[in-house]
Amino acid sequence: MKECVLVVDDDREIVKAMGILLEGEGYEVLKAYDGLQALEILASRQVRLVLIDVMMPKLDGLSALMRIREKQNIPVIVLSAKSEDSDKILGLSMGADDYVTKPYNPQELAARVKSQLRRYTCLGDIHAGSRGGEIRNGRLLYSTEERILYADGEP
């Protein structure tokens, strides 16, 4: 099953180009053109990562990011034409996992998406819970019945 990535930007050409890039990398790509559309998609679909522009109509990217963080702990990469350090610091402090300035290198962006998804899905979520007699966090598994901790499958 393909991992689902949501691309949010009011520039339809950018969304189209990122869609082609990410689909070529094997991801399912959902598209939104403002922050409100993004929130609607996130409420109805299982999304693994969000790429979101800052300057958009209706609901800007940073406001949408704050609303996403109220309910979800998924990787969010902010894309922005704003390249000042203060803009980057603001985006990261508001909950972004990464901040990429436009214009960006497409291969670098694809690598950043892959990296964030690896950290989120493979290395685990700090809030990983108990499931049926086992507690899993990234590469660690604790069997509550056996009382054994496994790292990469090894006791």
Side-chain angles (χ1 to χ4, degrees), residues 9-82:
D9 197 311
D10 59 325
D11 185 328
R12 290 179 181 268
E13 289 302 312
I14 289 176
V15 172
K16 182 179 177 183
M18 282 197 288
I20 291 168
L21 171 73
L22 294 170
E23 287 169 355
E25 294 289 323
Y27 300 108
E28 176 186 356
V29 178
L30 300 176
K31 299 169 184 172
Y33 304 99
D34 62 59
L36 289 177
Q37 280 185 342
L39 294 174
E40 289 172 12
I41 290 170
L42 287 167
S44 64
R45 294 288 306 269
Q46 179 75 25
V47 173
R48 290 292 186 148
L49 181 139
V50 178
L51 286 159
I52 192 165
D53 183 33
V54 172
M55 296 181 284
M56 293 183 295
K58 296 184 183 174
L59 185 66
D60 69 88
L62 294 181
S63 298
L65 173 61
M66 289 181 8
R67 303 243 315 253
I68 291 168
R69 286 290 174 247
E70 289 173 5
K71 296 182 179 174
Q72 291 180 295
N73 184 32
I74 59 174
V76 177
I77 300 174
V78 170
L79 301 169
S80 179
K82 294 182 172 186

Side-chain angles (χ1 to χ4, degrees), residues 105-149:
N105 177 313
Q107 285 76 30
E108 179 186 350
L109 182 63
R112 288 176 182 268
V113 166
K114 189 174 188 177
S115 173
Q116 288 293 335
L117 285 170
R118 181 179 62 248
R119 288 181 54 223
Y120 178 72
T121 59
C122 298
L123 300 179
D125 177 359
I126 193 167
H127 302 293
S130 174
R131 294 178 198 94
E134 62 183 41
I135 301 170
R136 182 179 299 274
N137 191 346
R139 300 177 351 205
L140 297 176
L141 171 77
Y142 179 71
S143 170
T144 56
E145 293 170 5
E146 299 173 307
R147 293 186 175 182
I148 297 174
L149 178 65

Side-chain angles (χ1 to χ4, degrees), residues 83-118:
S83 60
E84 295 293 320
D85 287 344
S86 59
D87 296 316
K88 295 175 187 177
I89 292 166
L90 179 64
L92 292 167
S93 65
M94 291 178 77
D97 295 287
D98 201 353
Y99 192 104
V100 177
T101 56
K102 295 176 184 176
Y104 52 85
N105 177 313
Q107 285 76 30
E108 179 186 350
L109 182 63
R112 288 176 182 268
V113 166
K114 189 174 188 177
S115 173
Q116 288 293 335
L117 285 170
R118 181 179 62 248

